[in-house]
Amino acid sequence: MIDTHMHADARSGEDFEEMFNAGIDTAITCSYYPYKIPHEMILLNHLNRILELDTKRAREHGLDLKVALGIHPTNSNINPEEIFKQLYKWIDSNQIIAIGEIGLEDLTDAEISVFKRQLDIASETDSKVIIHTPRKNKKEVLDVILDILPQHLDESQAVIDHINPNVVCDVIDTDCMLGLTVQPQKMDKFEAISILDEYGFDKFLLNSDISNKPSDPLSVPKTVNELKNQGYKNSEIEKVASLNAQKFFNL
């Protein structure tokens, strides 16, 4: 199984071991610094910590941790140029599998500018992106994302994440992959399964988004097991459990 979106820097080695023992052999950790950052070098140090330390910590507990790095909208108040330079280097050296998570939160000018530039970098380097959508005002913010995205990047290179039953109809006809986050206070496994039941399994990825917020490290295997309990075909379950992610991220 593959958990396609988590924040390893906020989690313990015990969480990694628990995930691995439950059948998750690969996970994708994304960048997100949950505190106010006064200077871009703090964020750069944090991103390097994810790349160098958290991958090692996960590996010690059996988990193959792939890395997506970028500027989360929450962190867009800094001077981004040094981070942009590093993105090119990380991509060129194959140290990251995507730029992420990026996106919009409060629709500030800074957020929009940083978001567009990272989409441009992805286009220039033929990279994938993982796009955050917020808990609040999700539909309003998603509408802006959907307007900006195709102006800067081919939709087939993007995952739009944290999709729920309220907005899935807005994105189902795009060429994007769609992330289903099964997490307390976001969406439970039954809501995720209802989306898969209605729209099929081909466009979706499963993730836990475990972070410093209320989280369940085992939400992906729990959802997969519930799909099995409800009698869905193994060939379909395998798509959201691993195959879609393997194909999209070239794992």
Side-chain angles (χ1 to χ4, degrees):
M1 270 179 282
I2 300 174
D3 187 333
T4 62
H5 187 136
M6 64 176 287
H7 298 281
D9 52 293
R11 309 305 300 190
S12 68
E14 288 79 6
D15 284 338
F16 303 151
E17 184 173 8
E18 190 176 17
M19 293 168 72
F20 178 72
N21 289 337
I24 299 172
D25 42 39
T26 303
I28 299 170
T29 191
C30 300
S31 54
Y32 163 61
Y33 197 84
Y35 310 108
K36 201 165 187 179
I37 298 175
H39 195 277
E40 63 272 10
M41 293 309 296
I42 295 175
L43 180 59
L44 183 59
N45 287 339
H46 180 69
L47 299 182
N48 278 315
R49 170 250 164 95
I50 294 170
L51 197 61
E52 297 168 9
L53 175 62
D54 292 321
T55 51
K56 180 181 178 182
R57 288 197 306 123
R59 192 162 53 247
E60 290 172 349
H61 295 278
L63 193 62
D64 182 13
L65 193 64
K66 307 298 185 182
V67 178
L69 295 180
I71 302 175
H72 188 283
T74 301
N75 307 135
S76 58
N77 60 313
I78 59 165
N79 182 342
E81 293 304 321
E82 188 60 37
I83 310 298
F84 294 158
K85 290 178 186 177
Q86 289 298 318
L87 280 175
Y88 284 109
K89 293 178 181 179
W90 290 324
I91 293 165
D92 188 58
S93 59
N94 295 314
Q95 291 180 279
I96 63 175
I97 64 167
I99 299 174
E101 66 185 297
I102 64 175
L104 300 174
E105 181 79 22
D106 297 315
L107 299 180
T108 66
D109 290 344
E111 284 181 8
I112 291 171
S113 175
V114 168
F115 178 50
K116 288 179 177 179
R117 183 71 181 100
Q118 291 181 107
L119 293 176
D120 289 338
I121 293 172
S123 182
E124 292 169 29
T125 59
D126 194 27
S127 298
K128 301 300 197 314
V129 297
I130 299 173
I131 299 176
H132 163 88
T133 59
R135 296 169 188 250
K136 61 180 182 180
N137 302 323
K138 185 181 287 285
K139 184 174 177 60
E140 175 191 355
V141 175
L142 180 58
D143 286 345
V144 178
I145 288 171
L146 292 175
D147 178 61
I148 292 172
L149 174 60
Q151 300 179 50
H152 294 264
L153 182 68
D154 192 303
E155 289 180 345
S156 66
Q157 293 172 240
V159 178
I160 300 182
D161 223 324
H162 315 320
I163 294 303
N164 64 29
N166 297 324
V167 298
V168 64
C169 60
D170 297 320
V171 292
I172 195 63
D173 292 328
T174 69
D175 290 328
C176 303
M177 290 298 290
L178 306 175
L180 301 178
T181 297
V182 181
Q183 185 192 65
Q185 301 178 359
K186 277 192 177 177
M187 183 170 67
D188 65 32
K189 62 185 179 182
F190 299 106
E191 291 173 300
I193 291 171
S194 73
I195 291 174
L196 295 170
D197 187 67
E198 182 169 356
Y199 295 102
F201 290 69
D202 292 339
K203 290 176 66 74
F204 295 97
L205 307 173
L206 282 177
N207 66 74
S208 65
D209 192 25
I210 54 174
S211 64
N212 62 317
K213 295 181 172 66
S215 304
D216 181 0
L218 302 186
S219 70
V220 170
K222 287 177 181 178
T223 304
V224 168
N225 287 338
E226 184 60 33
L227 285 164
K228 292 177 181 178
N229 289 340
Q230 293 190 26
Y232 288 90
K233 294 179 181 178
N234 286 336
S235 60
E236 297 289 79
I237 296 172
E238 287 175 359
K239 291 178 183 178
V240 293
S242 60
L243 295 181
N244 291 348
Q246 289 174 2
K247 182 178 180 180
F248 181 80
F249 291 108
N250 298 314
L251 300 180

